[in-house]
Amino acid sequence: MYDFKNVVDRRGQGQTKWMAMKELKPNVAPDVMPFSVADMEFKNAPEIINGLKEYLDKTILGYTIRNEGFNKAIKSWYQRRHDYDIDTDKIVNFPGVVSGLYLGIEMFTEPGEGVIVMPPVYYPFFGVISAQGRNIVECPLIDNDGHYEIDFEKFEQLASKKENTMTIVCNPHNPVGRVWTKDELKRIGEIANKYNLFILDDEIHNDLIMPGYKHTMMANVLEDKSKFITFTSASKTFNMAGMTLCSAMIEDDDLYEKFANRTMETARTTCTSLGYKAAEIAYNECEAWLDECLEHIYENHKFVLDYFSKNHPGFKAYKLEGTYLQWIDFNSLGLSIEELEKRNIENDVFLDEGYIFGTGGHGFERINLAAPKSKIEELLKRISKVIGE
């Protein structure tokens, strides 16, 4: 029904990963596609494009705040897809999740305190922690024969230290693709509550779940939410990162008042009229598009697993539970991170290098699967040249 096959030419449009590829290799061929930054190479849903055109014919692009249309759309979406009842009176909007995390760290920790993360993990977490003089405290995930698990013993040990006052949860986890179970999330919450840790919950990928798995919103398993904020967005779900709109969902009344007031004081609430409208249209009209999109991503994932199994059995391509980001271990090449990156660029392979995700990421690559299958096939052939088998 929808077009997930045709390639969109994004060159010369200021698109982040395309510009980065050009910087790394100025003479890169025009048909080469990057598979790094997590936005899709699929066309946006036509309902969004047509809806925005109609909206532009009728509106003035002035200052805009969250309105009833957006409230109804996001509330209905989370009830349908996540069995979660949002209080739309307690949503705070930001241009993006990272800016929301930044404010959360600024408000609810002090300089010199520790923020616990679970690497390999989304690399901006490190930046927003260190930029504010807080300490990055690592609780590395355990790779149990291709299945990542949380080291709960270490997590509790770190949480028990009085200098560590916050944790950031990535749910689903980027880049390893885990969809945390209800029991895993509940245990994180119990440990955090026991030691008075504040939890910032990044759920930006929560709609991108593969067959056989179910996403659990952490808010649905926590008993005490006085130190808990969920961050979500339609940006990953519907490929609208350029619309810069994130929602912070807060259930505790006092926490909401503090957080909302601080966003106003620091002028961090400015979002665009097109961002609100695009999300409203997406939540109301694009569920069928998402379901079909997930089918294509899953087919790409299975294709990658099959390709590595048949052609490069010594390399581990990890099973994907959520997100559209494929995690692959290239350590059997025996290359340094610099050598691996250099060989990738020489062979027109532009991925997110695993080392940027911190401990446990060295020698890995993250591949964006949200692209036409024909381009995934081309990429894998180039990766075979990198491997040299």
Side-chain angles (χ1 to χ4, degrees):
M1 178 179 177
Y2 294 101
D3 182 6
F4 294 98
K5 295 182 179 180
N6 287 317
V7 177
V8 179
D9 186 356
R10 300 174 70 186
R11 293 173 298 164
Q13 299 178 23
Q15 306 283 341
T16 302
K17 62 185 169 185
W18 288 78
M19 297 290 285
M21 177 177 69
K22 191 72 173 176
E23 288 181 12
L24 288 170
K25 192 170 186 178
N27 63 340
V28 65
D31 62 337
V32 173
M33 177 181 287
F35 294 84
S36 51
V37 175
D39 60 17
M40 300 181 186
E41 296 299 329
F42 296 139
K43 291 183 177 180
N44 288 104
E47 291 87 350
I48 295 172
I49 303 304
N50 295 331
L52 288 178
K53 288 178 180 177
E54 182 180 347
Y55 176 68
L56 286 167
D57 284 337
K58 299 177 180 179
T59 194
I60 292 173
L61 300 176
Y63 294 113
T64 305
I65 60 173
R66 186 176 69 250
N67 56 41
E68 193 58 28
F70 174 86
N71 284 344
K72 288 180 179 179
I74 193 171
K75 187 176 184 70
S76 175
W77 180 265
Y78 273 85
Q79 287 173 334
R80 297 195 314 271
R81 302 289 292 204
H82 298 285
D83 192 29
Y84 181 61
D85 188 19
I86 295 174
D87 182 349
T88 54
D89 288 334
K90 289 190 283 188
I91 292 176
V92 180
N93 291 113
F94 288 88
V97 167
V98 174
S99 60
L101 294 174
Y102 191 102
L103 182 59
I105 294 167
E106 178 187 75
M107 286 188 66
F108 304 115
T109 65
E110 296 294 332
E113 292 182 347
V115 180
I116 302 170
V117 295
M118 299 179 185
V121 73
Y122 182 51
Y123 56 90
F125 288 1
F126 304 126
V128 294
I129 295 169
S130 60
Q132 300 180 82
R134 278 62 169 175
N135 295 323
I136 300 167
V137 179
E138 296 191 353
C139 180
L141 298 175
I142 299 170
D143 184 354
N144 187 1
D145 193 27
H147 181 79
Y148 280 93
E149 299 174 352
I150 296 169
D151 187 341
F152 282 107
E153 183 178 348
K154 185 171 182 62
F155 181 64
E156 181 157 13
Q157 179 187 50
L158 294 172
S160 69
K161 297 182 177 181
K162 63 180 181 179
E163 66 268 24
N164 298 330
T165 56
M166 176 178 282
T167 186
I168 305 177
V169 178
C170 198
N171 176 36
H173 193 283
N174 171 14
V176 306
R178 273 298 316 277
V179 174
W180 303 124
T181 66
K182 182 177 181 180
D183 287 342
E184 286 171 319
L185 293 171
K186 187 175 181 180
R187 191 167 178 192
I188 292 173
E190 288 171 346
I191 293 171
N193 184 58
K194 179 178 179 180
Y195 297 103
N196 207 30
L197 281 185
F198 202 108
I199 302 173
L200 301 181
D201 178 28
D202 175 5
E203 296 202 14
I204 198 169
H205 293 274
N206 64 11
D207 292 312
L208 300 160
I209 308 300
M210 297 298 103
Y213 297 94
K214 179 176 174 55
H215 175 262
T216 300
M217 289 198 66
M218 197 170 190
N220 276 337
V221 302
L222 295 184
E223 294 184 6
D224 182 357
K225 291 171 235 186
S226 61
K227 290 191 171 186
F228 176 77
I229 302 175
T230 303
F231 295 93
T232 72
S233 176
S235 62
K236 293 288 188 270
T237 306
F238 299 104
N239 200 28
M240 303 191 303
M243 287 297 181
T244 60
L245 178 67
C246 148
S247 295
M249 302 174 183
I250 306 170
E251 294 191 29
D252 183 83
D253 291 335
D254 291 340
L255 180 59
Y256 168 77
E257 289 296 329
K258 291 177 183 177
F259 199 66
N261 289 339
R262 186 59 179 162
T263 61
M264 294 296 294
E265 293 167 356
T266 55
R268 284 181 167 127
T269 57
T270 303
C271 300
T272 69
S273 57
L274 293 182
Y276 282 117
K277 192 62 181 180
E280 177 186 336
I281 295 166
Y283 287 139
N284 284 337
E285 302 179 31
C286 298
E287 198 159 1
W289 180 91
L290 174 61
D291 290 339
E292 192 171 333
C293 177
L294 291 173
E295 291 176 7
H296 284 270
I297 291 168
Y298 186 57
E299 286 303 312
N300 285 345
H301 169 58
K302 290 193 297 182
F303 183 75
V304 171
L305 292 185
D306 185 63
Y307 186 90
F308 271 85
S309 176
K310 290 179 178 178
N311 297 282
H312 308 295
F315 292 76
K316 187 186 297 180
Y318 286 68
K319 191 171 183 179
L320 185 66
E321 299 179 2
T323 79
Y324 49 75
L325 305 166
Q326 178 70 61
W327 191 237
I328 300 181
D329 186 353
F330 283 77
N331 278 291
S332 60
L333 283 175
L335 301 176
S336 69
I337 57 176
E338 295 82 8
E339 290 168 337
L340 178 58
E341 188 167 14
K342 182 175 183 291
R343 190 180 292 189
N344 279 337
I345 295 169
E346 289 173 347
N347 287 281
D348 290 339
V349 173
F350 298 92
L351 311 173
D352 270 332
E353 302 294 328
Y355 68 84
I356 68 175
F357 300 98
T359 299
H362 287 217
F364 285 75
E365 300 286 350
R366 192 190 77 171
I367 300 176
N368 186 334
L369 296 177
K373 187 176 180 181
S374 62
K375 303 305 287 187
I376 297 289
E377 292 175 357
E378 291 177 13
L379 170 69
L380 293 177
K381 290 176 183 178
R382 295 198 296 271
I383 286 177
S384 288
K385 294 180 180 178
V386 171
I387 293 173
E389 295 181 357

